[in-house]
Amino acid sequence: MNDDYMISFQNETKQTIEASYKKMTAVERSVADFFIGNKDDMDFSSKNISRVLYVSEATLSRFSQKCGYKGYREFIFSYEKDLEVEQKNANIEKDIGLFTRNVQNAYQNLLQENFQMLNEEQIRRVAGMLNISNKVLIYG
């Protein structure tokens, strides 16, 4: 299966299409492939989709029924709702990059604050004691 199929794990309508895929005709599978691979919001009216996919409106109705819906309208209602959720999740993934940059900046600020708290005189004194010692034991 391609990546589009793997992405649809959060989209219940696409899962339903995939579950019904084996019992579809070749034409219905082309409709299924379109809906599984689609990520864009568009005019999903039966007239428009039948024109885009070069299939009849009756094919869309049969496709919807094989997926377990009463008809194409019920299918599209569910599909559009799940597509909206899928698009929101895609935006969240983009925000993860922003989140990681914020975490990185926070750690950078913490590091700078810690360096400001360092007492250089105390570090020199400790370094001098380490230099003159015969043995240094470190426990951790």
Side-chain angles (χ1 to χ4, degrees), residues 7-16 35 38 78-79 81-84 86:
I7 291 170
S8 67
F9 72 94
Q10 293 178 343
N11 185 318
E12 289 180 32
T13 308
K14 288 184 179 182
Q15 287 177 345
T16 302
F35 282 109
N38 181 55
S78 175
Y79 184 80
K81 183 180 68 163
D82 286 345
L83 185 62
E84 184 179 325
E86 194 174 283

Side-chain angles (χ1 to χ4, degrees), residues 10-49:
Q10 293 178 343
N11 185 318
E12 289 180 32
T13 308
K14 288 184 179 182
Q15 287 177 345
T16 302
I17 296 170
E18 290 170 3
S20 306
Y21 198 82
K22 290 181 182 175
K23 61 184 177 186
M24 293 181 187
T25 65
V27 173
E28 292 166 345
R29 286 182 181 180
S30 70
V31 174
D33 292 337
F34 169 78
F35 282 109
I36 290 171
N38 181 55
K39 294 180 179 84
D40 300 324
D41 196 15
M42 58 188 294
D43 176 12
F44 290 112
S45 67
S46 59
K47 286 186 191 288
N48 185 51
I49 296 300

Side-chain angles (χ1 to χ4, degrees), residues 87-118:
Q87 289 171 339
K88 284 180 184 176
N89 288 342
N91 289 336
I92 289 171
E93 288 179 21
K94 290 176 187 173
D95 291 342
I96 288 176
L98 177 63
F99 174 74
T100 55
R101 285 191 297 281
N102 287 341
V103 169
Q104 186 179 15
N105 288 338
Y107 276 108
Q108 188 126 20
N109 289 339
L110 284 172
L111 191 59
Q112 287 174 350
E113 288 173 13
N114 283 328
F115 276 124
Q116 289 173 356
M117 292 188 315
L118 286 177

